[in-house]
Amino acid sequence: MRIQNSYLPVSGVGETREQRLWEAGLYEWAEFSPKRAPVGPKTTEAIESFISEASVALDDADTKFFQSRLPSSELWRIYENVRSEALFFDIETTGLDARRNTITTVSFYQGNDTTTLVRDDTLTEESLRTMFANAPLIISFNGAQFDVPFIETNYSLDIDTPHLDLRYPCKQVNLTGGLKSIEQAVGISRDLEAVDGRDAVRLWYQYERENDDF
DNA sequence: GGCCTGCCGCTTCTTCCTAC
DNA sequence: GTAGGAAGAAGCGGCAGGCC
């Protein structure tokens, strides 16, 4: 599934009409034909107008265009279009409260590169701004509720990059129970199975103590 | 344990399609 | 052209669930 296969961003088209369009053989925007479309003239006009605008947005890699037109639970439809530039991220903190606790590390994965920003070293407002601004799509697990608000509270940032929070697509396919259990369900193993978020806090303070010794 | 986003179910209204 | 039905949009409140 690429965004060119989707008609959901069109106003007046829901899953039922999109399904009918596919059944009529109109699997891609390029194949769209008013004569074959199983929709009325108004909807046809809306689809043609959308395709015209969306083609430009696609050429410009303007993912915000699609974010504003897709239901948030369907944002995954643009992933294949920006796969190599999509920015996966996760934060570690000293606790759950963004006002009382601080971010210790922020890790990013983009293309085949992993970058970790560390507090009191490479983790700065500017480095975060650069990472998020250069991505067409950011991806996290529960980041909409935890990671992004935490970053925005701790730094003067307003992260408006289109954000795919995997928690909700996972839930739609009955993958629930937290990141760890989902990883197990889909066959992803960790090098450090026994380490959880609380351990991350403990390890951070240990790291700080050892750094102070130097 | 604090936070809060997004989902869900429901209702109402509008728009559009289809058959006659 | 009209009527009935289908589908989508919008708005609302309540709440589940996951983050470290």
Side-chain angles (χ1 to χ4, degrees):
Chain A
M1 165 76 75
R2 300 173 75 87
I3 191 65
Q4 299 96 308
N5 302 116
S6 182
Y7 295 95
L8 272 194
V10 183
S11 176
V13 178
E15 286 186 19
T16 305
R17 283 184 178 152
E18 181 180 66
Q19 190 66 41
R20 284 191 200 150
L21 288 160
W22 288 340
E23 285 167 3
L26 306 174
Y27 298 109
E28 287 196 26
W29 301 342
E31 295 168 337
F32 185 78
S33 155
K35 288 179 184 171
R36 289 165 56 201
V39 294
K42 295 267 186 183
T43 307
T44 296
E45 192 182 325
I47 292 172
E48 289 185 308
S49 171
F50 165 77
I51 291 173
S52 173
E53 282 185 69
S55 299
V56 175
L58 200 55
D59 287 343
D60 295 344
D62 180 7
T63 50
K64 286 180 185 172
F65 172 87
F66 298 103
Q67 182 189 34
S68 66
R69 285 162 176 78
L70 277 169
S72 56
S73 59
E74 301 293 336
L75 194 61
W76 59 269
R77 292 173 185 242
I78 67 174
Y79 172 67
E80 284 296 339
N81 292 81
V82 296
R83 187 186 187 124
S84 59
E85 297 94 39
L87 182 71
F88 293 79
F89 75 101
D90 189 27
I91 69 173
E92 303 301 331
T93 71
T94 57
L96 292 172
D97 190 338
R99 288 186 294 259
R100 289 203 301 263
N101 302 116
T102 57
I103 299 171
T104 56
T105 63
V106 183
S107 294
F108 298 94
Y109 179 81
Q110 189 175 35
N112 287 317
D113 297 324
T114 302
T115 304
T116 298
L117 304 178
V118 181
R119 183 179 147 195
D120 298 332
D121 186 15
T122 49
L123 178 56
T124 64
E125 184 181 315
E126 196 50 41
S127 61
L128 286 169
R129 191 189 307 279
T130 302
M131 291 300 293
F132 286 117
N134 290 338
L137 177 70
I138 59 175
I139 302 173
S140 67
F141 189 84
N142 201 37
Q145 288 186 42
F146 184 76
D147 301 53
V148 167
F150 217 112
I151 291 170
E152 290 181 336
T153 301
N154 275 249
Y155 298 89
S156 299
L157 288 178
D158 180 18
I159 300 170
D160 63 350
T161 308
H163 182 191
L164 172 59
D165 187 339
L166 292 175
R167 179 184 158 189
Y168 302 101
C170 283
K171 193 179 178 185
Q172 286 178 338
V173 293
N174 292 321
L175 288 171
T176 58
L179 187 54
K180 237 182 177 180
S181 66
I182 290 173
E183 284 175 357
Q184 287 169 356
V186 298
I188 298 172
S189 59
R190 293 188 181 204
D191 293 338
L192 298 169
E193 285 289 347
V195 177
D196 63 11
R198 287 184 175 84
D199 291 319
V201 178
R202 180 180 55 76
L203 288 167
W204 170 259
Y205 286 125
Q206 184 182 333
Y207 163 80
E208 275 197 323
R209 281 196 304 275
E210 288 173 3
N211 257 23
D212 286 346
D213 292 342
F214 290 105

